[in-house]
Amino acid sequence: MKQPTVPNTISTAQMANLSRRAQKANPQMFTPEAIRQRLASQAQQRKAGQS
């Protein structure tokens, strides 16, 4: 019995879907919002470390 052949490429729609999901899971590091969140997190960690 012969195995069915499966293409080793993905469609443009599948690629767009993956890209969108990856962006949602891992947003850009250098957006102003991400930088603000990192700075706030660091400040909070410093504050917690001092107490």
Side-chain angles (χ1 to χ4, degrees):
M1 191 160 123
K2 191 177 177 194
Q3 289 283 336
T5 58
V6 179
N8 63 352
T9 59
I10 66 173
S11 72
T12 305
Q14 287 171 315
M15 188 64 194
N17 192 7
L18 280 174
S19 297
R20 192 168 47 252
R21 285 168 51 194
Q23 278 292 321
K24 198 170 189 177
N26 185 19
Q28 292 294 317
M29 276 185 69
F30 299 109
T31 60
E33 185 180 334
I35 292 169
R36 191 169 50 249
Q37 283 181 338
R38 270 200 305 282
L39 291 174
S41 174
Q42 289 171 358
Q44 191 174 20
Q45 288 171 356
R46 274 196 300 276
K47 194 174 174 185
Q50 288 172 355
S51 62

